[in-house]
Amino acid sequence: MTDRILVRREPNPLRTLYNILNYGGLAALVLWSSSGIEYLGIMQTARGTVEALLKGFVLPDTAYLANWTKDGLPYAIVETIAISIAGTFASALLSIPVALLASQNIVGPRVSKLGKVIVTAVRTFPELILALIFISVVGPGAPAGILAIGIHSVGMLAKLFSEAIESMDMGVKEALDSCGATPMEVLFRAMLPEVAPEFISYTLYRFEINVRAASTLGLVGAGGIGAPLIFAIRNRAWPRVGIIMIVMVVVVTVIDLVSGRLRKKLV
Amino acid sequence: MSGPAERIVVPKPNHLRRNLIILGVTALIVGSAWFAGFDLGRILLNLRKGGRLLGRMFLRPDWAYTPRIVDPLLETVKMSVVGTFWGAILAFPTAVFAANNFIKNPWIAQPLRVILNVTRSIPAMVMASVFVAVFGIGAFSGVVALVIFTFGLISKLTFESIEAIDPGQVEALQAVGANKPNVLRYAIVPQILPQFLSYTLYGFEINVRAAAVLGYVGAGGIGQIFEQNLAWRNFDRVGLIIIISFFVVLVIDLASSAMRRKLV
């Protein structure tokens, strides 16, 4: 029993070269990227602004929170959540046909490839740009936000939905097929019940993301809490910025918790 | 199994609870749409106007404008690289301390987790608009927003990965007397490195998409000239910017997700 446990790994020149290229490439990329950004352009007033900003968080504008009119914070919060709910629901409805189109076991490999490309394209198209386009169509306000969220979320939901469809048990579908069910009956009696819990869980997950999205869409005028926030920032009304951001964090956290609980129960 | 007289009684399913839930959810959705002033009729009426606008954007984009958008696009990519890099560097130690199976001190882990949750619940655009007010208009404000956002995202994903590692390797090292840094180096890092790199690439994809629009609030990149052209109603240029940045983002996305699939 004199086997040696310690074996020194022979240095492999190819591997060393590979490592040098990898790390060197990364370092070069970061250096190149850092070159273009001006770091010295920090405003002279930055320090004062930061102090005022922090003071705004310590002493937020609570009167704004207690303002129950249309100009108050509660209205903006409810509007933000309403935009997310309506937008998420619209996108879930739209995602079902798109997901079927992207599922290999429904439409065959060739069509599903095309469907997947469409889904990726939708996902890549920024929500904010969609919101701006819809604002120029239906005017500024919450409906533009609903449309933007409704379309953009299809990019993620349809992908997740089609993955659920592709991994479902095809036995139920075949059983119904063999009894002579129509395609519609197969869809509603075999496929939807099979995938419904996953669909609902993904939709809730997307709802969590959309609450965050809805609070940014207001920055460009598509309704919700982003609009009063950007006005407060532009006017340097830091106590108001403070209260809006605190409430935003609380609302997002609470919605995440509730929705996460529901999702755990579902799947 | 027993006598032939036994009947199998299938209880009639009670749909009351289910129907109540469906009713409640429907009411919530309809109420939301009503509250937000969603009017499908008005939207359909505006459809022609929208079609005309889209036509002005995408049917004849101003291709001659392309050279002008190369620099802002490069700036967008640079912002994402720098933002992801520093975000990931900050995220690694934070994740190690936030995971409950390495330090095992709730007084360190819990406050870190609260900070991570807060950074992730503020959208990058909102952070960018605040930083524009603090640091001024330009790419730097956008980079700071991206660093904080990426930091929150990667830390969260990584500390969850650390908590899910195989404890056997840690125990084996501890059994032969390894100290904390050695456990970290030889048991934890090798197990989570591929995932950490994959999360970093994922963060990079999100950052490229975010950086493309950050300019709208003045935080640098392609969004800034997008905003200008939209304000001047140069829709042919707006269309061009959308088309080209869309393809750049798509290519980066596809390359990065191909790399991620190789990693994990």
Side-chain angles (χ1 to χ4, degrees):
Chain A
M1 291 292 146
T2 50
D3 287 346
R4 285 180 57 185
I5 295 172
L6 280 171
V7 179
R8 199 188 162 81
R9 211 197 290 170
E10 289 301 316
N12 178 346
L14 262 180
R15 180 141 192 99
T16 320
L17 184 69
Y18 176 79
N19 278 341
I20 290 174
L21 281 180
N22 249 347
Y23 292 122
L26 180 67
L29 184 67
V30 172
L31 279 178
W32 170 74
S33 300
S34 312
S35 70
I37 294 153
E38 207 178 311
Y39 297 96
L40 298 173
I42 298 175
M43 247 190 205
Q44 292 296 308
T45 53
R47 212 184 131 167
T49 317
V50 171
E51 274 168 15
L53 179 68
L54 291 178
K55 223 163 125 190
F57 277 99
V58 178
L59 296 166
D61 180 2
T62 43
Y64 187 48
L65 181 61
N67 180 352
W68 291 91
T69 64
K70 255 190 153 182
D71 306 316
L73 188 54
Y75 184 88
I77 290 283
V78 175
E79 191 181 50
T80 308
I81 297 173
I83 292 173
S84 344
I85 292 177
T88 310
F89 176 70
S91 78
L93 279 187
L94 284 174
S95 294
I96 294 174
V98 180
L100 289 172
L101 201 70
S103 303
Q104 212 177 340
N105 52 352
I106 307 292
V107 291
R110 202 160 298 156
V111 181
S112 84
K113 255 261 150 78
L114 181 74
K116 285 194 167 101
V117 170
I118 295 174
V119 171
T120 310
V122 174
R123 196 170 51 239
T124 315
F125 204 89
E127 223 154 10
L128 217 69
I129 308 287
L130 277 176
L132 287 165
I133 291 176
F134 283 125
I135 283 173
S136 29
V137 176
V138 296
I146 294 178
L147 288 170
I149 286 180
I151 304 273
H152 178 79
S153 309
V154 170
M156 188 184 106
L157 277 184
K159 175 176 186 267
L160 294 172
F161 283 8
S162 89
E163 279 167 7
I165 294 171
E166 284 180 343
S167 63
M168 78 180 179
D169 174 15
M170 293 301 276
V172 190
K173 177 184 179 289
E174 278 161 25
L176 279 192
D177 270 337
S178 65
C179 307
T182 63
M184 275 295 132
E185 282 170 339
V186 171
L187 180 67
F188 281 105
R189 301 271 168 202
M191 291 160 59
L192 282 185
E194 183 104 347
V195 291
E198 274 174 280
F199 276 24
I200 296 174
S201 162
Y202 291 144
T203 306
L204 277 173
Y205 177 57
R206 185 66 215 189
F207 171 64
E208 293 167 34
I209 299 177
N210 282 346
V211 174
R212 293 177 170 82
S215 38
T216 45
L217 288 181
L219 299 179
V220 300
I225 198 169
L229 178 63
I230 194 79
F231 290 140
I233 292 174
R234 297 228 167 107
N235 294 332
R236 304 273 190 278
W238 301 118
R240 184 161 286 199
V241 174
I243 190 78
I244 293 177
M245 287 184 66
I246 291 169
V247 170
M248 198 189 255
V249 168
V250 170
V251 168
V252 167
T253 311
V254 169
I255 287 179
D256 274 10
L257 279 176
V258 173
S259 164
R261 280 269 162 80
L262 283 174
R263 283 195 284 132
K264 249 180 218 150
K265 265 192 172 172
L266 271 167
V267 183
Chain B
M1 287 241 211
S2 53
E6 194 160 320
R7 283 173 59 188
I8 300 168
V9 180
V10 181
K12 212 174 168 203
N14 183 6
H15 284 314
L16 182 69
R17 205 174 105 95
R18 198 194 67 179
N19 289 344
L20 275 179
I21 292 176
I22 291 178
L23 194 73
V25 171
T26 313
L28 196 65
I29 292 165
V30 173
S32 298
W34 168 81
F35 189 88
F38 192 77
D39 180 356
L40 201 61
R42 226 187 80 210
I43 290 162
L44 291 176
L45 275 179
N46 277 310
L47 221 53
R48 267 191 56 178
K49 199 171 135 203
R52 227 174 22 237
L53 184 82
L54 289 180
R56 280 174 71 187
M57 280 186 186
F58 298 115
L59 288 184
R60 264 176 318 219
D62 181 7
W63 294 107
Y65 194 60
T66 312
R68 290 279 304 280
I69 70 170
V70 172
D71 276 342
L73 257 180
L74 281 179
E75 189 181 52
T76 303
V77 177
K78 286 176 171 179
M79 282 164 62
S80 332
V81 171
V82 178
T84 314
F85 180 76
W86 289 110
I89 297 245
L90 291 173
F92 195 87
T94 313
V96 168
F97 282 101
N100 59 18
N101 55 349
F102 180 65
I103 297 292
K104 291 181 185 140
N105 183 348
W107 291 102
I108 299 173
Q110 286 310 325
L112 278 179
R113 288 182 187 202
V114 170
I115 293 173
L116 291 181
N117 275 333
V118 169
T119 59
R120 279 182 318 113
S121 51
I122 303 174
M125 273 295 266
V126 172
M127 274 194 264
S129 6
V130 173
F131 289 130
V132 166
V134 175
F135 299 122
I137 287 175
F140 182 75
S141 307
V143 169
V144 175
L146 290 180
V147 168
I148 295 178
F149 173 76
T150 324
F151 162 75
L153 177 80
I154 300 182
S155 303
K156 163 98 191 317
L157 292 169
T158 309
F159 93 66
E160 283 173 355
S161 287
I162 294 179
E163 289 181 353
I165 61 166
D166 170 18
Q169 301 185 21
V170 178
E171 284 159 21
L173 278 179
Q174 279 166 348
V176 293
N179 56 11
K180 285 258 169 195
N182 275 328
V183 169
L184 183 67
R185 169 70 185 83
Y186 293 104
I188 295 179
V189 169
Q191 285 193 65
I192 60 150
L193 198 60
Q195 281 159 9
F196 175 73
L197 292 177
S198 163
Y199 298 147
T200 306
L201 281 172
Y202 174 61
F204 178 62
E205 287 166 38
I206 296 182
N207 280 346
V208 172
R209 283 184 233 156
V213 290
L214 280 183
Y216 197 84
V217 293
I222 187 85
Q224 226 153 324
I225 62 166
F226 175 86
E227 200 257 334
Q228 284 163 13
N229 280 302
L230 196 73
W232 295 329
R233 303 183 76 76
N234 291 331
F235 289 116
D236 48 347
R237 292 184 173 176
V238 169
L240 178 89
I241 296 172
I242 292 178
I243 293 171
I244 294 197
S245 17
F246 174 77
F247 279 105
V248 170
V249 172
L250 196 65
V251 167
I252 291 179
D253 230 82
L254 290 177
S256 167
S257 34
M259 273 160 87
R260 279 200 284 144
R261 237 167 293 150
K262 270 196 167 173
L263 270 170
V264 185

